[in-house]
Amino acid sequence: MNKKQRGLFLTAIATGTMLNPLNSSMISLALHSIQHDFSLSFATVSWLISTYYLASAIVVPIAGKVGDLIGRRKMLLIGLLLVAVSTVGAPFAGTFMVLLGMRLFQAVGSSAIYPAGMALVRKHIHEKQASALAILSIFTSSMLAFGPTAGGFLIDFGGWPAIFTVNAPFILLSFLLTWFAVPKDPETTHYTLRAFWKQLDSIGIAFFAIGMSFLLYFLLSFEHGLHWVPLGVGVVSLAAFFLRELKAAHPFIDVRLLRTNQRLTLVYIQFILLNIFNYSLFFGLPSFFQDVMRFSLKTSGLMMIFLSGASTLVAFLMGRWIDRSGTSMPTIVGGVLMFGGPAVLVLISQHLTLVNLSVTLIFLGISYGIGNVTLQAAMLDASPDHLTGTSSGLFQTCRYIGSILSSVVLAIVFGADLSLAGFHTLMIILTVTGITFSLSAVYAKRLEHAAG
């Protein structure tokens, strides 16, 4: 693959994979308008966010498995078409339920794109693969960081339907580039419908989907009280899923592999920790800045750019570093910054200023930028080639689990009292999270040495 082909290939994947973070972040600015137009409570309209996370967390590994069976390029194109349905249908939604349905199309389609894209990178990009992953990370991080700002301008210009229609040029570009610049899938076995469902392990998927749905519902509703029934159903269903996969001839997720492939399992755990850390800052700091530090909305937004901007910029450098030295040392460095930043904020929590907060946020953003790229590279390195789509899907599920767990952390810390004391507690929790991540990174390096 020459330089031009590589550029077109990566642009095709990047413009597709960025749709999920873009649409997960833009919606936050649209909730007020949608609530007003449909005369709903905030609790009802917030299901546009909750269902998106739930659907995405469940769909990504399933879509990855389907892509492994039918072809990753086909799966990417199917995902783009599903997002296109929401792009066309959502602006004309006459009821909230129709809009919620369009949002589910958007979640399922955009979630199908990521594992297909990662598997295609694994298959077709052999030189400087980490640099390619860094480019994808820049796209997704930028969309997550600047999505709310873009959403605000779009809604001001065209109302809430504009955050759906804006997807159209990205979908069209990604679809055309995928069609012409991404190599066709190799010929796959032509399954009968019955054989396909057997290969897909529909029973295992059902247990997984039920278990994840109830468990994530329990976590999402945690701040309103402990709902033991969803927790019980979720745990029992996931236990049944685990037992099913141990015995299945064609398991949806080979749990035996996760048990024997310690490096891959560790990557998933590390990615959950990394996203608990990142989303606790991403969702918690703006309210703290405005309610406790008394910063204006504009100043609070600018402060968050130090966090998200540093994360995006460091991704430019990570690809070359990983290509030269591997993932172990960058992951350890990122882990040190993860616990160092919150530890400093614990020490200076009584003397917070714009300057020391800004500097610390830059280091915290760097830690996430390092971890995000290195763990994607480590996941691909540790995944068997024929299961790359499924592995990538599980990896993305870990992102959603981390983000949901961060909301639990914030509900516990800031739920009763958004205060300086709560901020101090949050920084202690994040310091412990960073230390745990760092220890896991050191252990991963030992596993790498033992295997090599």
Side-chain angles (χ1 to χ4, degrees):
M1 188 177 291
N2 61 38
K3 189 174 182 179
K4 181 180 179 181
Q5 290 172 326
R6 179 186 173 100
L8 291 173
F9 176 91
L10 289 176
T11 303
I13 305 300
T15 49
T17 55
M18 76 179 198
L19 291 172
N20 191 278
L22 176 65
N23 287 286
S24 68
S25 58
M26 280 197 305
I27 193 70
S28 61
L29 272 295
L31 292 180
H32 182 267
S33 299
I34 294 171
Q35 180 183 355
H36 176 75
D37 284 1
F38 289 99
S39 301
L40 303 169
S41 67
F42 181 79
T44 300
V45 79
S46 66
W47 275 101
L48 290 171
I49 295 177
S50 300
T51 53
Y52 192 90
Y53 279 125
L54 282 167
S56 296
I58 293 166
V59 165
V60 278
I62 298 173
K65 177 70 173 182
V66 174
D68 288 340
L69 291 175
I70 70 171
R72 284 75 179 258
R73 180 177 176 270
K74 293 187 187 74
M75 198 68 234
L76 198 156
L77 292 171
I78 290 170
L80 290 168
L81 289 174
L82 290 174
V83 181
V85 171
S86 70
T87 300
V88 175
F92 299 101
T95 66
F96 178 71
M97 290 307 296
V98 173
L99 180 61
L100 188 61
M102 292 297 103
R103 181 73 170 162
L104 286 173
F105 269 104
Q106 190 181 71
V108 171
S110 61
S111 298
I113 293 168
Y114 177 84
M118 290 296 102
L120 287 167
V121 169
R122 167 73 177 272
K123 182 175 181 59
H124 298 292
I125 301 290
H126 303 294
E127 294 183 1
K128 299 181 179 180
Q129 190 178 89
S131 297
L133 291 174
I135 292 172
L136 300 184
S137 179
I138 291 164
F139 270 80
T140 55
S141 298
S142 298
M143 292 303 102
L144 185 63
F146 302 112
T149 303
F153 282 108
L154 287 167
I155 294 165
D156 186 57
F157 175 75
W160 62 261
I163 68 167
F164 290 92
T165 55
V166 74
N167 289 296
F170 300 116
I171 295 169
L172 182 61
L173 178 61
S174 182
F175 192 94
L176 291 175
L177 286 176
T178 301
W179 190 269
F180 291 109
V182 175
K184 291 185 178 180
D185 296 316
E187 288 296 323
T188 55
T189 304
H190 295 285
Y191 300 109
T192 64
L193 183 60
R194 181 177 180 182
F196 175 78
W197 279 111
K198 185 177 180 181
Q199 287 283 334
L200 190 59
D201 184 22
S202 54
I203 296 175
I205 287 176
F207 280 132
F208 176 81
I210 293 169
M212 289 296 295
S213 296
F214 280 95
L215 189 59
L216 293 176
Y217 175 80
F218 168 77
L219 293 173
L220 285 168
S221 60
F222 187 85
E223 61 182 298
H224 304 296
L226 296 177
H227 297 79
W228 296 111
V229 172
L231 176 62
V233 174
V235 170
V236 170
S237 297
L238 289 178
F241 163 76
F242 184 83
L243 294 174
R244 158 75 186 180
E245 299 305 275
L246 283 175
K247 299 177 181 179
H250 305 285
F252 162 48
I253 297 172
D254 192 347
V255 296
R256 292 163 293 192
L257 174 65
L258 295 178
R259 190 168 56 185
T260 56
N261 191 336
Q262 294 184 54
R263 182 68 188 107
L264 182 59
T265 303
L266 195 58
V267 166
Y268 291 147
I269 295 171
Q270 289 173 317
F271 202 52
I272 291 173
L273 292 171
L274 181 69
N275 282 285
I276 291 173
F277 181 90
N278 178 63
Y279 284 101
S280 293
L281 296 170
F282 191 77
F283 292 131
L285 288 182
S287 296
F288 171 76
F289 288 152
Q290 294 175 72
D291 292 352
V292 178
M293 299 297 295
R294 302 299 178 187
F295 294 162
S296 67
L297 178 62
K298 182 179 179 180
T299 301
S300 299
L302 290 173
M303 291 293 289
M304 294 305 293
I305 289 179
F306 286 110
L307 182 71
S308 56
S311 172
T312 302
L313 289 174
V314 78
F316 280 104
L317 306 174
M318 289 311 303
R320 291 182 180 179
W321 187 9
I322 296 168
D323 284 329
R324 288 198 309 266
S325 65
T327 59
S328 295
M329 187 51 64
T331 308
I332 292 172
V333 172
V336 171
L337 292 174
M338 270 181 72
F339 74 77
V344 168
L345 289 176
V346 169
L347 295 175
I348 65 172
S349 59
Q350 299 298 322
H351 309 284
L352 296 175
T353 66
L354 275 172
V355 175
N356 59 35
L357 275 171
S358 300
V359 172
T360 309
L361 286 176
I362 289 173
F363 282 101
L364 292 173
I366 290 172
S367 72
Y368 180 73
I370 292 173
N372 194 35
V373 178
T374 54
L375 290 179
Q376 286 187 73
M379 180 270 296
L380 289 181
D381 285 343
S383 300
D385 186 61
H386 67 288
L387 293 176
T388 304
T390 308
S391 297
S392 299
L394 282 174
F395 184 77
Q396 193 73 339
T397 293
C398 291
R399 182 192 298 276
Y400 294 116
I401 292 173
S403 68
I404 292 168
L405 287 174
S406 75
S407 69
V408 175
V409 170
L410 293 174
I412 293 172
V413 174
F414 286 151
D417 182 24
L418 185 57
S419 63
L420 189 61
F423 174 80
H424 189 272
T425 302
L426 178 62
M427 290 305 108
I428 292 173
I429 293 171
L430 296 186
T431 301
V432 174
T433 303
I435 291 172
T436 305
F437 182 94
S438 299
L439 292 174
S440 70
V442 172
Y443 180 65
K445 187 174 178 63
R446 292 182 178 178
L447 287 177
E448 188 177 299
H449 279 304

